[in-house]
Amino acid sequence: MVIGDRRGSDVPDRHDAGSGSLADYTYGLFPRFTNVVVRVAGSMPFQSELVELRSSPIPPTEAFVERRPPAEDRVDAPMPVRLWAGSELSGVVGFVPRGLEAPLDACLGRLSDRGKGPRIPCSIASTRHGLRIDLHMGRAY
């Protein structure tokens, strides 16, 4: 085994860890600006599905994130992200980055309170390390 080789280990790839900051949110976990974005983590295993979705006639513009039940919240279970492709839901294409579950859960709660579906505007971004999903949290309201 090569020293520093991460294949087969549980250490996440730093390019696939997702991004976002709690500093982008107010005390009530409301986005401070309309351009607040959360980059989804764990998208590397789903690259083929992302390529397919991106090249589809109607590329996805909304993401679906299921709220965690209280039992899963206690064990800090990951929150999977899926994309709406037309009227169909894709498979899992990534996960909410660790530490940003609370703002996303608050957003989903506010959407539910307003009678809207749990759909968050998104885009598929091309990076040097593959395709990634950006959740446009500031535009979710």
Side-chain angles (χ1 to χ4, degrees), residues 53-135:
L53 288 166
R54 189 175 189 190
S55 63
S56 69
I58 304 170
T61 58
E62 294 178 321
F64 172 78
V65 181
E66 189 174 353
R67 295 182 80 178
R68 287 193 293 205
E72 287 186 7
D73 200 23
R74 278 186 235 122
V75 296
D76 200 25
M79 292 176 72
V81 176
R82 294 175 172 84
L83 300 180
W84 286 102
S87 62
E88 295 184 18
L89 198 57
S90 74
V92 174
V93 292
F95 301 92
V96 174
R98 294 286 180 197
L100 293 174
E101 294 96 342
L104 217 77
D105 194 50
C107 172
L108 294 170
R110 283 191 284 272
L111 288 171
S112 175
D113 291 345
R114 292 182 181 163
K116 294 184 178 181
R119 296 180 178 209
I120 299 173
C122 73
S123 61
I124 299 175
S126 181
T127 69
R128 289 185 293 166
H129 305 285
L131 297 174
R132 302 289 183 262
I133 306 297
D134 287 338
L135 302 176

